[in-house]
Amino acid sequence: MPSETLTITDNRNGKTYELPIIHETIKATDLRQIKTDPAEFGLMPYDPSYMNTASCKSRITFIDGDKGILEYRGYPIDQLAEKASFLETAYMIWYGELPNAAELADWTAQVNGQPLCPEGVKRVISAFDRDAHPMGMLVSMLGALSAAYPDAKNIGDAKNRLRHAQRLLWQVPAVSAYIHRHRQGLPFIDPDPKLSYAGNFLRMLFGKDNGPYTPDPVLEEALDILFILHADHEQNCSTSTMRLVGSSQADPYASMAAAAAALYGPLHGGANEAVLKMLDEIGSTENIPGFIAKVKAGEGRLMGFGHRVYKNYDPRAKIIKKAADQVFEVTGKNPKIDMAVMLEKIALEDAYFIKRKLYPNVDFYSGIIYQAMGFPPEMFTVLFAVGRAIGWLAQWEEMLCDSDQKIGRPRQIFLGPERRDYVPLEKR
Ligand code: ACO
């Protein structure tokens, strides 16, 4: 028995139990011994929406929501955004350590050496209506990639997992760019492995043809930073989905399709698109006080504000706000930034938001940059997914290598009717 324990007395029968406390948690299954009759199932914790349940041990991302701290493998997000490249960050998230020059070159060559997007998958993209939502298309394309690579089902082989993780890092930007181009009625452009990760993505999105393409260095860097900021965020809704689906031993493409579906929702990654819609609806700065009043009256939410974990300024939002100024020097200012800044100022001084500790999250400013770069709002969540793919993959890998993990399967409190007999239709 560890030195730290929790003593529980069951008032139903006066029995006392001592539960080990390890890493500031008790094991939910330890509660099962607490029962008044041996035939009983035993006590369960009830935690809808996982407000206070650790579902895994992880060594990837640390967040201190009260202090506004985010670290990947111990490295502060602001240092990574300023100094590292996305592929370097991706290596570190996957392996746990920063690469040396040779390791980074090798990793880059392995990611960039993956095959082109399968022709069948491109045909599926082309089959969508031009106004189909890109996130619905991305979810479908990840499913299509699962169909295209049946050997990815061999998840017991570490080398195979790595190969398909690298393939996803290569293919997610490609299918995302092709989704954008299809919606614009433009032909698909092949990747160029000589470009940076963000530069290659810009080429596939905005290149004129398959000839040489030189990305704008400021936009390339801004996109690289945005990918780093989105790379992982511990056990959020989509990452938990990736882990849960992956726990059934589904392949990484199918698991990521499910994760992307979770990201799509407006309370999660879909918030960046919702922020732009909200700013459009507000229309101009003089309408902000009226809008805030409606939010406080419970008529809608201030999208891009609030977070389950951050009860302080989301450190990513600070970095994005800074990157916006650099992007605007190239693209011209997005007039929505003034509205967003004023909205933030009014909200942060308002008792409603102060009391609930509601601060801007990563999605509050990202859409404004994406729009300035030329992306339609429906593409914003897809851009989030491109950056997040490595986080989903590293968490999936960690889950598969964790001997504590089995297929995910929560319990329930059943409150439905007790057993009753079927009544024939004519007697109802
Ligand atoms: N605007 C107005 N009020 C809000 C907001 C908001 N954006 N967010 C929370 N609140 C209020 C709630 O109404 C509630 O008030 P009450 O106590 O009077 O009932 C209180 O703050 C707590 O809110 P919950 O919904 O219980 O907080 P929860 O942790 O479940 O939700 C969430 C977190 C979903 C992010 C929420 O803050 C929200 O809906 N934000 C807007 C959507 C958004 O920006 N999502 C992106 C999150 S970042 C990401 O996923 C990448």
Side-chain angles (χ1 to χ4, degrees):
M1 184 67 73
S3 55
E4 293 194 359
T5 58
L6 173 73
T7 306
I8 296 179
T9 305
D10 187 344
N11 284 335
R12 296 171 299 180
N13 56 10
K15 265 177 122 178
T16 297
Y17 303 85
E18 215 170 323
L19 310 188
I21 299 176
I22 303 170
H23 303 303
E24 289 297 300
T25 58
I26 56 160
K27 271 178 105 173
T29 45
D30 281 349
L31 296 172
R32 288 274 293 279
Q33 57 186 302
I34 304 177
K35 45 178 107 174
T36 51
D37 182 318
E40 273 175 20
F41 185 79
L43 219 59
M44 287 191 295
Y46 173 58
D47 189 14
S49 318
Y50 308 113
M51 298 291 288
N52 194 36
T53 292
S55 62
C56 62
K57 294 174 192 154
S58 182
R59 293 182 161 78
I60 302 174
T61 292
F62 172 77
I63 301 174
D64 184 326
D66 289 327
K67 295 194 182 126
I69 292 174
L70 168 61
E71 293 165 359
Y72 302 155
R73 305 279 190 187
Y75 296 106
I77 191 66
D78 50 324
Q79 289 187 24
L80 293 168
E82 196 189 324
K83 296 179 180 145
S85 72
F86 174 71
L87 273 185
E88 186 186 359
T89 305
Y91 177 102
M92 180 268 291
I93 288 178
W94 179 269
Y95 285 111
E97 297 297 333
L98 284 169
N100 63 28
E103 287 163 340
L104 180 59
D106 209 33
W107 168 255
T108 305
Q110 283 165 16
V111 171
N112 293 0
Q114 294 297 323
L116 295 177
C117 179
E119 289 303 316
V121 173
K122 287 188 190 165
R123 284 197 296 277
V124 183
I125 295 174
S126 304
F128 277 89
D129 289 339
R130 299 260 184 234
D131 60 354
H133 196 285
M135 271 308 281
M137 293 172 79
L138 179 67
V139 171
S140 312
M141 284 321 107
L142 288 162
L145 287 169
S146 160
Y149 298 126
D151 67 311
K153 290 185 198 334
N154 182 10
I155 53 111
D157 178 344
K159 280 196 184 135
N160 200 46
R161 290 200 302 275
L162 172 61
R163 183 165 56 249
H164 284 286
Q166 291 170 330
R167 192 164 299 175
L168 270 156
L169 290 181
W170 183 237
Q171 301 264 348
V172 171
V175 293
S176 301
Y178 297 162
I179 286 168
H180 176 68
R181 289 188 77 95
H182 171 68
R183 296 179 80 248
Q184 307 290 313
L186 296 169
F188 301 152
I189 297 213
D190 288 339
D192 180 353
K194 292 192 289 303
L195 294 174
S196 73
Y197 197 76
N200 181 42
F201 187 43
L202 285 168
R203 167 195 165 83
M204 291 186 286
L205 285 158
F206 301 125
K208 283 204 172 58
D209 50 37
N210 268 325
Y213 175 84
T214 310
D216 182 291
V218 175
L219 301 189
E220 185 182 9
E221 200 197 324
L223 203 53
D224 202 69
I225 291 173
L226 284 159
F227 288 159
I228 292 172
L229 297 183
H230 286 91
D232 194 51
H233 213 236
E234 53 116 311
Q235 310 312 316
N236 55 77
C237 180
S238 56
T239 302
S240 298
T241 303
M242 179 93 188
R243 279 179 171 263
L244 185 61
V245 175
S247 78
S248 76
Q249 301 194 347
D251 71 66
Y253 300 91
S255 304
M256 197 181 282
L263 189 73
Y264 192 175
L267 295 189
H268 191 12
N272 52 15
E273 183 184 344
V275 169
L276 259 280
K277 282 207 181 110
M278 176 186 76
L279 294 176
D280 280 339
E281 275 164 31
I282 296 173
S284 63
T285 46
E286 69 262 23
N287 298 330
I288 290 176
F291 175 77
I292 295 274
K294 275 190 178 172
V295 169
K296 285 161 60 178
E299 297 169 38
R301 291 202 156 188
L302 175 52
M303 299 311 286
F305 256 68
H307 200 275
R308 173 62 61 78
V309 180
Y310 291 119
K311 301 301 168 197
N312 197 326
Y313 214 100
D314 180 337
R316 301 168 300 174
K318 263 189 209 151
I319 301 167
I320 291 183
K321 211 170 155 191
K322 220 165 104 191
D325 294 332
Q326 285 152 6
V327 169
F328 295 159
E329 275 175 29
V330 177
T331 61
K333 190 168 154 187
N334 184 341
K336 296 207 176 79
I337 189 81
D338 292 335
M339 232 198 305
V341 169
M342 186 182 260
L343 201 51
E344 178 192 326
K345 189 171 178 300
I346 293 177
L348 291 184
E349 287 168 358
D350 190 294
Y352 174 96
F353 295 89
I354 294 169
K355 184 178 157 215
R356 291 169 179 78
K357 298 188 178 171
L358 301 170
Y359 291 86
N361 60 50
V362 68
D363 287 324
F364 192 65
Y365 287 106
S366 62
I368 297 172
I369 302 193
Y370 292 144
Q371 192 174 49
M373 283 176 157
F375 292 104
E378 305 83 57
M379 274 298 287
F380 296 172
T381 314
V382 173
L383 301 172
F384 189 147
V386 174
R388 181 55 58 85
I390 181 60
W392 288 334
L393 289 162
Q395 298 271 353
W396 166 78
E397 172 75 7
E398 187 174 59
M399 180 271 302
L400 289 174
C401 296
D402 180 350
S403 59
D404 279 359
Q405 296 288 340
K406 292 165 173 256
I407 185 168
R409 208 299 186 188
R411 298 276 178 176
Q412 64 169 4
I413 301 170
F414 180 70
L415 298 176
E418 286 183 10
R419 186 200 176 280
R420 50 185 170 165
D421 289 325
Y422 176 80
V423 180
L425 192 57
E426 62 280 9
K427 292 206 174 150
R428 275 178 253 155

